[in-house]
Amino acid sequence: SDLDAAIAAMPMLPEPYALRGDLRRESADPGGAMADYEDALRRQPVNAHVRTNRAVLLFHFGAPHQAAAEIERALDEAPPGDPWPLAASGGLALLAGDTGRAEAELAAALDRSPRDAMALQLRAILRARLGDAEGSATDAAAARARQPDIGHQASIIFGLVLP
C-alpha cells in the first residue's frame, strides 16, 4: 500500500503509522491498529489524536483503566479547541454506562467545537438512550449534515449505533 511505502521511505515520521492505524481499525484489524498507534507514539510521544485512538482500542481490548489513563493523557496533550479527546471520552463513558460523565464530556467537546460530527452523533445516541427522541433526532441530523457517514464511523470506532 501507499502507507507501507511511505513508512519504508520515512520510517521516523509518525503520521504514516497513525494513518495506517486508522485504516487498520476501520478494516477490523485492531491488533495491527494498536501496533501502528504505538509505533506512531514512539516517534512522537505527544500526540493527542493517536493517544485517543489508542485509548478507544484499549477499552475494546478489555482494559478500561488503561483506556481512562490514556484518555486523561490525551486531554492534557490536546491542543486548545480539539474536541476529539473529549468526544472519545464521552463515547467511552457511554460504553461503560456512565451517562452523567458521557453527557458532561460531550457537552465539553461541543463547547470546543459546536459542530463536531462525532460529538453530535454520540450525544444523539446518549439522548436516545435517555428517552429524548427529539433531541436525538436533531443531533443526528446535524451530525449527518457535517459528515454523512458519521453513523458508520461511530459504529466502527465505538460500536455504538442509534436505536
Side-chain angles (χ1 to χ4, degrees), residues 67-117:
E70 197 75 348
I71 279 286
E72 287 304 315
R73 190 164 172 193
L75 288 167
D76 290 341
E77 295 173 358
D82 181 2
W84 175 230
L86 285 165
S89 181
L92 295 179
L94 192 54
L95 285 170
D98 187 344
T99 57
R101 192 174 113 237
E103 192 167 28
E105 297 286 47
L106 294 170
L110 290 165
D111 282 346
R112 286 186 178 185
S113 182
R115 298 177 359 159
D116 182 73

